[in-house]
Amino acid sequence: MKNVTVTMNEALLQRARVAAARDGKSLSRFIAEAVEQRVGRPLTQLEALERFLAGPPLHVLDENGKAPTRDQLYDDD
C-alpha cells in the first residue's frame, strides 16, 4: 500500500468522516473504496477471459462448421 495526501475543504472532510463512520470504515478505507468505484479494479485472468468469450462471435468456421486449413489461411491468391 502507498500513502497519498488528499487536499479538501473542511466541510467536505467533515462529511467524509461522518460517512466513513456511518459505514464503520476508516476514512482512508472509505476514500480508497470511493476511488475504486470510480476507476474500477483490475480484472482477474478469469474475468478477462470471460469478458472476451462473451464478446461478439468470431466467424471463422465455414458452413460445415470447419475451421480453415493452414493452406487456406496463408494462400497467396
Side-chain angles (χ1 to χ4, degrees), residues 19-51:
R22 188 175 353 136
D23 290 355
K25 299 176 184 172
S26 68
L27 183 59
S28 178
R29 182 78 245 145
F30 181 80
I31 291 171
E33 288 178 3
V35 170
E36 186 174 74
Q37 285 178 356
R38 177 68 185 226
V39 300
R41 63 174 177 73
L43 296 177
T44 65
Q45 284 185 326
L46 179 59
E47 289 169 330
L49 179 61
E50 288 172 342
R51 183 180 286 183

Side-chain angles (χ1 to χ4, degrees), residues 2 7 15 23 31 33 35 46-47 50 52-54 58-59 61 65 67-68 70 76-77:
K2 292 285 186 176
T7 303
R15 292 194 321 266
D23 290 355
I31 291 171
E33 288 178 3
V35 170
L46 179 59
E47 289 169 330
E50 288 172 342
F52 173 78
L53 293 175
L58 303 173
H59 301 289
L61 304 179
R70 183 187 183 287
D76 288 337
D77 289 343

